[in-house]
Amino acid sequence: DAKTTQPNSMESNEEEPVHLPCNHSTISGTDYIHWYRQLPSQGPEYVIHGLTSNVNNRMASLAIAEDRKSSTLILHRATLRDAAVYYCILRDNSGNTPLVFGKGTRLSVIA
Amino acid sequence: GAGVSQTPSNKVTEKGKYVELRCDPISGHTALYWYRQSLGQGPEFLIYFQGTGAADDSGLPNDRFFAVRPEGSVSTLKIQRTERGDSAVYLCASSPTGGFGANVLTFGAGSRLTVL
């Protein structure tokens, strides 16, 4: 499986934007970039995914580098409820393979 | 159902005992996944079902672990002769097959297993 590299932890102030980076230099042409997050004592939750173009949804934005070797999850205004572990995952676009989780980035949000 | 339901939410057992963990996926979701998560780690893949059959069981750590999904909906993860190292949160997820939905796994809250 192609691997991703994320910082272990990040901190943000409430109401400010947060940019969570992910490196995936060995990404293949058929890999989608997925982001999930896990709040304390809960299962992971889907955030967003994309292939080449930047993506926006009600939760976040995903900015994908032109060479696809890195991406950034953007939370436009962090709230205390956004404190979680964020996982960046590559998955083949067949959709028939399991997600392979790394350790993710633990985001702390300060009031 | 509205979400993925896992029971029990907590299970405490003694070393050497047999344990069953149940997962009730979202109605109509044909794909079902089992993961386990130890403290401070990301979820670790165990097994993936497509319908009734195990499409990928490469993550099962040894033959003490077994999972079934006889009717293509509810799944049971079975652990024989439990060991203290089996203590973890066991997570289940489901998704549709095909289309945009296949890219979105919905997870349950997990079953916390403690082996004394």
Side-chain angles (χ1 to χ4, degrees):
Chain A
D1 295 309
K3 291 193 177 359
T4 63
T5 304
Q6 300 177 253
N8 290 334
S9 62
M10 289 184 65
E11 203 172 79
S12 171
N13 292 318
E14 200 178 9
E15 301 296 317
E16 290 188 356
V18 182
H19 290 228
L20 296 162
C22 181
N23 288 320
H24 29 78
S25 59
T26 60
I27 190 170
S28 76
T30 56
D31 284 333
Y32 273 81
I33 302 157
H34 292 250
W35 284 82
Y36 280 72
R37 72 178 186 181
Q38 189 171 22
L39 279 64
S41 301
Q42 295 188 27
E45 171 190 33
Y46 168 83
V47 177
I48 199 166
H49 77 282
L51 183 62
T52 56
S53 303
N54 294 344
V55 184
N56 300 294
N57 66 21
R58 62 174 181 81
M59 288 182 72
S61 295
L62 176 59
I64 302 172
E66 196 169 333
D67 64 3
R68 300 210 323 126
K69 293 183 185 300
S70 66
S71 61
T72 302
L73 180 70
I74 302 165
L75 306 179
H76 296 286
R77 288 179 66 193
T79 70
L80 297 177
R81 292 174 59 186
D82 291 322
V85 178
Y86 287 78
Y87 297 99
C88 170
I89 303 165
L90 301 183
R91 189 187 192 203
D92 185 85
N93 70 356
S94 70
N96 293 324
T97 57
L99 296 172
V100 178
F101 289 80
K103 289 193 174 182
T105 296
R106 181 172 297 278
L107 174 67
S108 302
V109 179
I110 302 167
Chain B
V4 177
S5 175
Q6 292 189 246
T7 54
S9 55
N10 273 289
K11 176 70 177 179
V12 180
T13 191
E14 293 179 344
K15 180 175 177 294
K17 298 290 188 185
Y18 170 79
V19 166
E20 286 191 355
L21 306 175
R22 175 188 168 109
C23 173
D24 215 324
I26 291 174
S27 178
H29 280 193
T30 51
L32 186 146
Y33 305 78
W34 282 100
Y35 289 80
R36 73 175 174 180
Q37 186 170 27
S38 301
L39 197 61
Q41 305 294 315
E44 173 194 8
F45 168 72
L46 296 177
I47 186 169
Y48 152 53
F49 286 89
Q50 191 62 250
T52 60
D56 182 350
D57 64 357
S58 62
L60 293 177
N62 51 60
D63 61 6
R64 295 187 299 105
F65 288 76
F66 190 70
V68 295
R69 195 185 185 200
E71 296 178 359
S73 55
V74 171
S75 176
T76 305
L77 179 66
K78 308 180 181 199
I79 310 173
Q80 298 178 320
R81 304 183 304 281
T82 52
E83 299 177 358
R84 292 195 180 89
D86 298 334
S87 296
V89 175
Y90 288 80
L91 294 162
C92 177
S94 70
S95 76
T97 302
F100 177 88
N103 288 297
V104 179
L105 270 62
T106 302
F107 283 81
S111 291
R112 180 178 297 277
L113 175 66
T114 303
V115 182
L116 301 177

